[in-house]
Amino acid sequence: VRPADTAQVAAVVRACSAARVALVPQGGNTGLVGGSVPLAGEVVLSLRRLDALGEVDLRAGQVTVGAGATLAGVQSHVRPHGLAVGVDLAPRDSCTIGGMVATNAGGINVVRHGTMRRQVAGVEAVLGDGSVVSHLAGLTKDNTGYDLAGLLTGSEGTLGIVTAVRLTLAPLPTYRVTVVLGFSDLASAIDATAHLRLTVPDLEAAEVMFADGVEMVAEHAGAAIPDALRASVSLLVEVAGRSDPLEQVAGALASLPASAPLAGEPAVAATPEQRDRLWLFRERHSEAINALGPPVKLDVSLPANEMAAFVDALPAVLPASARLSLFGHLGDGNLHVNVSGVLSTALSPDELASAEVVEEAVLRAVVDHGGSISAEHGIGTAKARYLHLCRSPEEIAAFRAIKRALDPGAILNPGVLLPPD
Amino acid sequence: VRPADTAQVAAVVRACSAARVALVPQGGNTGLVGGSVPLAGEVVLSLRRLDALGEVDLRAGQVTVGAGATLAGVQSHVRPHGLAVGVDLAPRDSCTIGGMVATNAGGINVVRHGTMRRQVAGVEAVLGDGSVVSHLAGLTKDNTGYDLAGLLTGSEGTLGIVTAVRLTLAPLPTYRVTVVLGFSDLASAIDATAHLRLTVPDLEAAEVMFADGVEMVAEHAGAAIPDALRASVSLLVEVAGRSDPLEQVAGALASLPASAPLAGEPAVAATPEQRDRLWLFRERHSEAINALGPPVKLDVSLPANEMAAFVDALPAVLPASARLSLFGHLGDGNLHVNVSGVLSTALSPDELASAEVVEEAVLRAVVDHGGSISAEHGIGTAKARYLHLCRSPEEIAAFRAIKRALDPGAILNPGVLLPPD
């Protein structure tokens, strides 16, 4: 069903509730964990027609948009006013704001602006019984009851269907500088990132790459490796804002802590062309990895104090024939773990069983180091069976109670996020 | 009861749950809406003994503290590491972190750091059935289930008792500059604030005062009024950070929009003494108002687009004999509304009835202009009867369902936040 507005969404939910038929809400279908895939004949409810873009509220620095508006559509809508959505993602042309809220999307700029939950100043949503809750005034201070907007954000369509969102916008930067720093080990890069977060207010990204990944991309993309990217561990830093970027960066580099010694000269890029030459190595990692054959892909986060130990421990839990590729958002403690050589394009039952063993071994290592088994991709159906690894029985019981409270008929996105009872 | 740790809190809740006796949790008792006051023989549970201060995690920029730790205690604990709690409040010596989380405390620096909810990276809490939920790793990216920490923040002790908090810390500023700008009307000050929020990344406060309030404080405190504070509307701006403050401020002032014309020369203060001379007028407002006799005090927020119209409409809903004093956090749209001349120290039944009429009239005007009847003080018991003014029956039903889900025996803080069924 493709309803056109909130009232029609509510009518669909009420009809499904009365008929005891389950629903799967869909936005731009860019999710990575199966959270919007119908599995057992559920009604698929697309939010794409709810794509209204409200007037930009310049005094509040906010805008109200329909759940079906694409991220790119909203970015274009607010840019002329010197504003931006603080969370930006590669699939911006197809991913929708409603989907980004439902999955609490993150991405590269979380170190600066937080995840989607921080951009959400209010939502309108249809709960599992068909009732509509709407709280879109976007007040910065509003202590009148439970934070339904924050609760619905990241609930993966299991508590309610978000139909409209009031977004807090960020100032559009007027300058942008990219810096690459080389280190001889991950621990140094982690300490440098902590230092940058304290000293560079305009820090917008802190991405980590490893020498083998950089070489893989260079080969795959036919690009020469800049000197600054030849260290064991490279940190790609983006600084973006409205005043004095090079001074900020120079000040921070001059005061790097002793625990974060640089390996070689840093690269600083201030023109779009120079920046592209550096970002290419980070951005084409996934593509280069996929060229090795289908990887086992996991998206995890680790406490800063444990990440280096986790990376050291990882090879021991993998089969000897596996090839490990790591990269990610160091500023948020978010690593993308890719294991090649386990799956081929044949995807035989044996291979799939081995992949599951690898997946569980990596996720157990994550939990052993105090991390999260899903940094930003969510739980969906793909990871529901692993939820117990990082959430206690008491927490899962609280999740179930909240789910029953807001979706008493259990018709919203069954099988997603919570494992079967 | 004064338990010493989370296990003892859980034992108390289980005992109360079994005996069907209700509980009122207390922190530093600095709340303003009666949320921690027992009304009907409830057990009072003090969290003050849970005051442990964990080691500061420098890599993550976070710390875990017990709910009973005072704000001042945590600020002193993290300051030597160049870090600060982003929410700071005048009662810092007595208010506790647990209470600040339970009430989603705000204050003067919300325009920079957000309310308490944004500082909370994780909580440990005891739910209404005595079960303990604990998720304190503080991962920036962690999409594994519902946001229990955000839900418990601001729930005023009605869903669970927070026993420990993982706080995200902010960099401690190394400079601090105070600026006073004069305007001839509120609308200009609102547009100037929107401009400052876009152009000054280190904007840390934007407080509004009116000429009659400034004169009242000058008289009460025996202080001379600086020239910059003689305009109809004064904006007291604080800029704090690590680089180049005066340049940021000068750039923003040079580019003020036409809709925000200045009335007179701005004052810029960069030494503590200069700053104190300006802040005095903002900080001593409450004291000067109380000297007029007990005021009807309301804490409301308005959309930036409606605030000037709300202020214009306010005198018409008040008795002719009432004296209105306004001031507040313009950067967050948060106004403190004080009405003197309705109550005397006698607090007779007639006066109390008149005060209630004034209170409801102001809150209805707030709602008519799209505002919130409680900006940061919460609902407590004092405002529960007004919740329906700004929350729909569907929203209140959702609140009740969540409350039943997490406190099935209805033993946590009865009568707080939700009006009687």
Side-chain angles (χ1 to χ4, degrees):
Chain A
V1 283
R2 294 171 46 82
D5 57 30
T6 301
Q8 291 187 5
V9 174
V12 171
V13 173
R14 281 195 303 269
C16 286
S17 181
R20 303 200 136 265
V21 171
L23 271 169
V24 175
Q26 286 189 351
N29 288 334
T30 59
L32 296 164
V33 290
S36 64
V37 181
L39 294 174
E42 295 90 346
V43 169
V44 173
L45 188 155
S46 167
L47 278 303
R48 291 301 304 277
R49 287 177 69 204
L50 283 76
D51 60 357
L53 301 175
E55 199 186 333
V56 178
D57 181 341
L58 295 175
R59 291 204 182 88
Q62 297 179 339
V63 67
T64 301
V65 302
T70 63
L71 173 57
V74 178
Q75 293 286 33
S76 312
H77 181 57
V78 305
R79 191 175 299 117
H81 302 286
L83 295 163
V85 182
V87 169
D88 200 20
L89 302 170
R92 62 184 67 81
D93 290 314
S94 47
C95 73
T96 62
I97 297 294
M100 291 173 72
V101 172
T103 59
N104 189 28
I108 280 175
N109 302 332
V110 167
V111 66
R112 175 70 168 274
H113 299 294
T115 61
M116 205 61 194
R117 191 173 283 121
R118 197 193 290 173
Q119 329 306 313
V120 172
V123 300
E124 179 170 270
V126 179
L127 303 183
D129 62 358
S131 65
V132 175
V133 291
S134 182
H135 201 67
L136 294 168
L139 301 163
T140 305
K141 285 185 176 171
D142 180 18
N143 276 344
T144 57
Y146 303 133
D147 182 23
L148 284 182
L151 180 64
L152 289 166
T153 304
S155 68
E156 302 189 16
T158 63
L159 296 180
I161 300 173
V162 173
T163 57
V165 182
R166 179 78 171 177
L167 288 170
T168 294
L169 302 167
L172 190 69
T174 53
Y175 76 82
R176 192 169 280 281
V177 172
T178 306
V179 180
V180 168
L181 307 174
F183 298 95
S184 48
D185 56 29
L186 179 58
S188 299
I190 290 170
D191 281 352
T193 302
H195 174 73
L196 292 171
R197 214 167 29 205
L198 266 184
T199 53
V200 181
D202 285 344
L203 181 68
E204 187 138 318
E207 301 285 306
V208 70
M209 291 176 279
F210 297 85
D212 54 352
V214 170
E215 281 156 28
M216 179 177 63
V217 174
E219 203 169 303
H220 180 78
I225 301 178
D227 283 345
L229 273 163
R230 291 191 177 278
S232 303
V233 178
S234 293
L235 191 64
L236 192 155
V237 173
E238 188 108 331
V239 183
R242 298 195 160 227
S243 62
D244 212 19
L246 292 169
E247 200 175 288
Q248 269 186 39
V249 171
L253 292 185
S255 59
L256 270 182
S259 61
L262 286 174
E265 280 301 301
V268 180
T271 70
E273 296 72 29
Q274 289 171 337
R275 294 181 48 242
D276 286 351
R277 273 201 293 278
L278 298 177
W279 270 101
L280 174 152
F281 286 90
R282 167 62 183 80
E283 283 177 345
R284 297 188 69 175
H285 254 71
S286 287
E287 200 182 312
I289 289 166
N290 290 338
L292 302 174
V296 176
K297 286 173 101 73
L298 293 162
D299 166 53
V300 303
S301 68
L302 279 303
N305 279 325
E306 289 286 330
M307 185 185 280
F310 165 76
V311 169
D312 288 345
L314 213 40
V317 307
L318 297 176
S321 60
R323 174 169 173 174
L324 179 64
S325 307
L326 297 171
F327 63 100
H329 316 303
L330 195 56
D332 322 312
N334 183 186
L335 272 187
H336 297 307
V337 177
N338 296 270
V339 183
S340 309
V342 177
L343 293 169
S344 73
T345 47
L347 294 176
S348 70
D350 272 6
E351 283 179 5
L352 290 171
S354 305
E356 210 162 300
V357 171
V358 165
E359 194 168 271
E360 182 156 351
V362 173
L363 295 183
R364 284 190 183 276
V366 167
V367 172
D368 287 346
H369 288 85
S372 166
I373 64 165
S374 188
E376 53 185 0
H377 293 174
I379 295 297
T381 52
K383 295 188 184 173
R385 66 179 175 284
Y386 300 126
L387 187 63
H388 71 278
L389 292 178
C390 67
R391 292 293 198 162
S392 70
E394 289 79 8
E395 286 179 300
I396 294 175
F399 293 172
R400 287 194 197 284
I402 294 167
K403 165 79 172 167
R404 279 193 300 271
L406 297 187
D407 180 21
I411 64 165
L412 295 180
N413 239 4
V416 168
L417 202 153
L418 289 164
D421 241 326
Chain B
V1 283
R2 294 170 47 80
D5 57 30
T6 301
Q8 291 187 5
V9 174
V12 171
V13 173
R14 280 195 304 269
C16 287
S17 181
R20 304 201 135 264
V21 171
L23 271 169
V24 175
Q26 287 190 349
N29 288 334
T30 60
L32 295 164
V33 291
S36 64
V37 182
L39 294 174
E42 295 91 345
V43 169
V44 174
L45 187 154
S46 167
L47 278 304
R48 291 301 304 278
R49 286 178 70 204
L50 283 77
D51 60 356
L53 301 175
E55 198 187 333
V56 178
D57 181 341
L58 295 174
R59 292 203 180 88
Q62 297 179 339
V63 68
T64 301
V65 302
T70 62
L71 173 56
V74 179
Q75 294 285 34
S76 313
H77 180 57
V78 304
R79 191 176 300 119
H81 303 286
L83 294 163
V85 182
V87 169
D88 199 20
L89 302 169
R92 61 184 70 81
D93 290 314
S94 47
C95 72
T96 61
I97 296 294
M100 291 173 71
V101 171
T103 59
N104 188 28
I108 280 175
N109 302 332
V110 168
V111 66
R112 174 71 168 274
H113 298 295
T115 60
M116 206 59 194
R117 191 173 282 121
R118 198 193 289 172
Q119 328 305 315
V120 172
V123 299
E124 179 170 271
V126 179
L127 304 183
D129 63 357
S131 66
V132 175
V133 292
S134 181
H135 201 67
L136 294 169
L139 301 163
T140 306
K141 287 185 176 172
D142 180 17
N143 276 343
T144 57
Y146 304 133
D147 182 24
L148 284 182
L151 180 64
L152 289 166
T153 304
S155 68
E156 303 188 16
T158 64
L159 296 180
I161 300 173
V162 173
T163 55
V165 182
R166 179 78 172 177
L167 288 170
T168 293
L169 301 167
L172 189 70
T174 53
Y175 76 81
R176 192 171 282 279
V177 171
T178 305
V179 180
V180 169
L181 306 174
F183 298 95
S184 48
D185 56 29
L186 179 58
S188 298
I190 290 169
D191 281 351
T193 302
H195 173 74
L196 292 171
R197 213 166 29 205
L198 267 183
T199 53
V200 180
D202 285 344
L203 180 68
E204 187 139 317
E207 301 285 307
V208 68
M209 291 176 278
F210 297 86
D212 53 352
V214 169
E215 281 156 28
M216 180 177 61
V217 174
E219 203 167 304
H220 181 76
I225 302 179
D227 283 345
L229 272 164
R230 291 192 176 278
S232 305
V233 179
S234 293
L235 191 64
L236 192 156
V237 173
E238 187 108 331
V239 183
R242 297 197 161 228
S243 62
D244 210 20
L246 292 168
E247 200 175 288
Q248 270 186 38
V249 171
L253 292 184
S255 60
L256 270 183
S259 62
L262 285 174
E265 279 300 302
V268 179
T271 70
E273 296 71 29
Q274 291 171 337
R275 293 180 49 241
D276 285 351
R277 273 200 292 279
L278 298 177
W279 271 101
L280 173 152
F281 286 90
R282 167 63 184 79
E283 283 178 343
R284 297 189 69 174
H285 253 71
S286 287
E287 199 182 314
I289 289 166
N290 289 338
L292 303 173
V296 177
K297 287 173 101 73
L298 293 160
D299 166 52
V300 304
S301 70
L302 279 304
N305 278 324
E306 291 285 331
M307 184 185 280
F310 164 77
V311 169
D312 288 345
L314 213 40
V317 307
L318 297 176
S321 61
R323 173 166 176 178
L324 179 65
S325 307
L326 297 171
F327 63 100
H329 316 303
L330 195 56
D332 323 312
N334 183 185
L335 272 186
H336 297 307
V337 178
N338 295 270
V339 183
S340 308
V342 176
L343 293 169
S344 73
T345 47
L347 294 176
S348 72
D350 271 9
E351 283 179 5
L352 290 172
S354 305
E356 212 164 297
V357 171
V358 165
E359 194 168 272
E360 181 155 352
V362 172
L363 296 182
R364 284 191 182 275
V366 168
V367 172
D368 288 347
H369 289 85
S372 166
I373 64 164
S374 187
E376 52 185 0
H377 292 173
I379 295 296
T381 51
K383 295 188 184 172
R385 65 179 176 283
Y386 299 127
L387 186 63
H388 70 278
L389 292 177
C390 67
R391 292 294 197 161
S392 70
E394 289 79 6
E395 285 179 300
I396 294 174
F399 293 172
R400 287 194 198 283
I402 294 167
K403 165 78 172 166
R404 279 193 300 271
L406 298 188
D407 180 21
I411 64 165
L412 294 181
N413 239 4
V416 168
L417 203 153
L418 289 165
D421 239 327

